[in-house]
Amino acid sequence: MVVCNVMHTPHTVVAFRRVSRRTVLKSAGVTLALPLLECMTSSHSRADTIQPLRRMLLISNNLGVLPKLFFPTNTGRDYTLSPYLLSLENFRADFTVFSGLSHPGVVGGHSTENCFLTAARGPTKSGFRNQISLDQFASEKLGWLTRFPTLNLGVNIDKANRSLSWTRDGVLLPAEENAPALFQKMFVQGDPASVQEQLQRLEERGSILDTLLDDTNQFRRTLGRDDKARLDQYLTSVREVEERLHAAREWELRPKPSAPQPPPVDIHDKKLFIEKFDLMLAMAQLALESRSTRIVTLMVDAFATPAFQLHPNHITTDGYHNLSHHGQSVEKIQQLEDVDRQQMALLAKLLKTLSDTPDAGQRSLDNTIIVYGSNMGDSNTHDNSNLPILLAGGGFRHGNHLASNHSFDTPLCNLFLSILHRLGIDVDAFGSSTGTLTGLEQT
């Protein structure tokens, strides 16, 4: 095993032999590519040759925004910023706003909240089963290049019922909304005994899978063609788990990066909705910039948010969900507009921070793809069409309002496919996509 210095850690290099990125780990018939490490480049040139790592942050508020204040009234590069988008005026050249996008067949009001990144049709139908989400799909294609292939975060989230992240088998991946716990996971190295205990657990799981593979391979010889095909599909899933266990073990043996700041103080009070959202955006940024992961999802569970603080000494008259069904009530609309504008301000803050942060000779914003949107086009009427979608950063050609004809129901997955290509993932389709979106030519 070659030991090498991991970026941003205080540990010294104990072996300087250059390692090719093609180096592989081999165990129990599994071949696993190593992630890109500093020891794969010569020591004298590492500081000058660190390549930008394209990342992705996917954000969704499951109650959306007031559509009339979000969508511009005209299109093209000379469009007039809407009242909400005025908050992002300083970054006009760094984002694109879309209208006319939706997930075909994904209807049913609030039941669509788990389908924002999956596009799984018919969430209200009997026997509905979700599909793999965009983040997990991208992670599968990119491989295990970071300590955490993805991180799934939440704000006020109902962990048992809601998530942006879903496995290929349609299983919900719970979101983390405890900032100190996330910080510890990323930066706090366990004592030797704790690390050894974790390694032992990984070894035990690996042994179980090895035994399972041996047994099923023997059983396979007795099966017919169709049953063999089904069993092969199952074995593929087992091997994927086995590969993840091997990768997890390798990362467990490596020191974690040094924490660039003190641990955060958690916010438990659901009424501090904006403060919690701000904190989790900061944690998402920290996760990406520390290269703990390349992909973060953040679900803002407005549905589960009770009456909350709009401003000091000013609590909303009702929970977020009831406010969203405003029925044209002036008082409710005013409160919704207030919280929408505050969320736009948080997004502007994120863009500024990423714009001001250097990254391998570029701005961090240029290497970070950000999607902000919702499964709800209009919560007041439970409308799941014309979803509010904003794309920022990532090196796309921005500064545009790209409008699709609402009658043709342009799939949001066309944007997702464009994003996958920008991440370097060469696939022909994702979800309900019919192709990529035009007007986002790379710069």
Side-chain angles (χ1 to χ4, degrees):
M1 175 178 164
V2 178
V3 182
C4 60
N5 185 37
V6 180
M7 186 174 64
H8 301 314
T9 68
H11 305 274
T12 57
V13 177
V14 293
F16 292 92
R17 181 164 63 86
R18 182 172 178 176
V19 181
S20 166
R21 193 176 184 184
R22 295 180 62 85
T23 300
V24 296
L25 307 172
K26 295 182 178 180
S27 176
V30 175
T31 301
L32 180 66
L34 279 172
L36 180 61
L37 304 174
E38 284 191 34
C39 58
M40 294 174 183
T41 62
S42 59
S43 59
H44 68 273
S45 63
R46 285 173 198 155
D48 299 326
T49 59
I50 294 174
Q51 295 298 312
L53 188 69
R54 190 149 287 128
R55 305 170 287 263
M56 179 168 65
L57 171 57
L58 307 167
I59 310 164
S60 174
N61 179 319
N62 59 2
L63 290 182
V65 295
L66 291 170
K68 288 184 179 180
L69 298 175
F70 176 82
F71 291 108
T73 55
N74 55 342
T75 61
R77 301 194 65 80
D78 296 324
Y79 76 96
T80 303
L81 291 169
S82 67
Y84 284 174
L85 297 183
L86 281 172
S87 299
L88 307 175
E89 185 174 13
N90 292 339
F91 304 97
R92 180 181 180 124
D94 293 309
F95 73 85
T96 299
V97 61
F98 302 87
S99 57
L101 299 182
S102 63
H103 286 314
V106 183
V107 293
H110 298 300
S111 63
T112 64
E113 59 202 351
N114 291 325
C115 304
F116 181 64
L117 296 183
T118 72
R121 296 171 181 259
T124 60
K125 293 182 179 179
S126 174
F128 168 76
R129 184 177 182 179
N130 215 341
Q131 298 171 177
I132 190 169
S133 52
L134 177 65
D135 59 309
Q136 298 301 307
F137 183 88
S139 172
E140 282 187 2
K141 299 299 181 182
L142 291 171
W144 201 309
L145 301 176
T146 52
R147 186 176 295 273
F148 307 104
T150 65
L151 285 173
N152 183 27
L153 311 182
V155 175
N156 285 354
I157 196 161
D158 178 357
K159 291 186 179 182
N161 295 304
R162 298 189 186 98
S163 179
L164 288 181
S165 293
W166 294 76
T167 69
R168 183 166 291 282
D169 295 324
V171 177
L172 176 151
L173 294 174
E176 177 62 75
E177 61 174 344
N178 184 308
L182 178 62
F183 185 91
Q184 180 169 353
K185 183 187 294 185
M186 291 192 295
F187 300 113
V188 178
Q189 191 75 32
D191 59 75
S194 298
V195 172
Q196 188 57 43
E197 182 181 346
Q198 176 65 10
L199 289 172
Q200 182 63 35
R201 284 198 295 267
L202 291 171
E203 290 289 352
E204 289 172 355
R205 293 173 188 171
S207 299
I208 294 170
L209 287 176
D210 289 341
T211 302
L212 178 62
L213 283 171
D214 288 342
D215 291 344
T216 51
N217 281 328
Q218 293 178 19
F219 178 58
R220 186 180 186 278
R221 302 189 188 101
T222 67
L223 300 178
R225 184 181 63 181
D226 291 344
D227 282 339
K228 280 184 178 179
R230 294 188 188 96
L231 183 60
D232 286 344
Q233 185 177 13
Y234 168 72
L235 291 176
T236 298
S237 298
V238 173
R239 290 189 184 98
E240 289 173 354
V241 173
E242 189 176 38
E243 289 177 7
R244 289 197 292 271
L245 287 174
H246 279 285
R249 188 179 189 280
E250 288 304 311
W251 280 108
E252 197 66 35
L253 290 168
R254 300 184 194 128
K256 293 183 179 180
S258 299
Q261 62 190 52
V265 177
D266 201 18
I267 301 173
H268 300 284
D269 191 347
K270 284 191 171 186
K271 292 195 298 294
L272 300 178
F273 169 74
I274 293 297
E275 289 83 352
K276 293 187 73 171
F277 192 3
D278 189 21
L279 175 59
M280 295 315 291
L281 282 174
M283 295 304 297
Q285 181 187 339
L286 187 59
L288 293 170
E289 291 189 354
S290 66
R291 301 198 175 197
S292 296
T293 188
R294 291 181 66 180
I295 303 172
V296 178
T297 63
L298 176 55
M299 185 175 198
V300 181
D301 194 351
F303 191 93
T305 298
F308 57 95
Q309 180 176 284
L310 271 175
H311 301 283
N313 303 318
H314 182 188
I315 304 294
T316 57
T317 58
D318 214 332
Y320 207 139
H321 177 218
N322 288 339
L323 288 178
S324 73
H325 292 295
H326 53 75
Q328 305 306 319
S329 163
V330 173
E331 183 181 25
K332 289 185 176 182
I333 289 174
Q334 287 176 342
Q335 293 174 83
L336 287 170
E337 180 179 346
D338 195 333
V339 70
D340 285 350
R341 287 183 182 275
Q342 290 192 58
Q343 290 175 83
M344 289 294 109
L346 292 182
L347 187 56
K349 177 182 175 182
L350 173 68
L351 297 184
K352 178 170 180 14
T353 303
L354 293 175
S355 179
D356 292 344
T357 303
D359 180 29
Q362 297 178 287
R363 303 177 304 167
S364 185
L365 181 59
D366 298 324
N367 297 317
T368 307
I369 299 168
I370 302 167
V371 174
Y372 177 86
S374 179
N375 55 290
M376 296 294 283
D378 188 343
S379 286
N380 182 51
T381 58
H382 283 172
D383 185 3
N384 301 122
S385 65
N386 191 27
L387 303 180
I389 303 295
L390 186 144
L391 172 73
F396 287 101
R397 181 173 182 260
H398 288 303
N400 212 339
H401 172 205
L402 297 179
S404 301
N405 190 320
H406 297 193
S407 339
F408 291 104
D409 212 18
T410 301
L412 174 56
C413 283
N414 286 3
L415 173 60
F416 291 169
L417 185 60
S418 297
I419 290 171
L420 289 170
H421 288 179
R422 189 60 173 153
L423 286 171
I425 300 170
D426 186 17
V427 291
D428 296 327
F430 173 78
S432 57
S433 68
T434 57
T436 56
L437 286 182
T438 58
L440 290 172
E441 293 80 6
Q442 299 172 10
T443 57

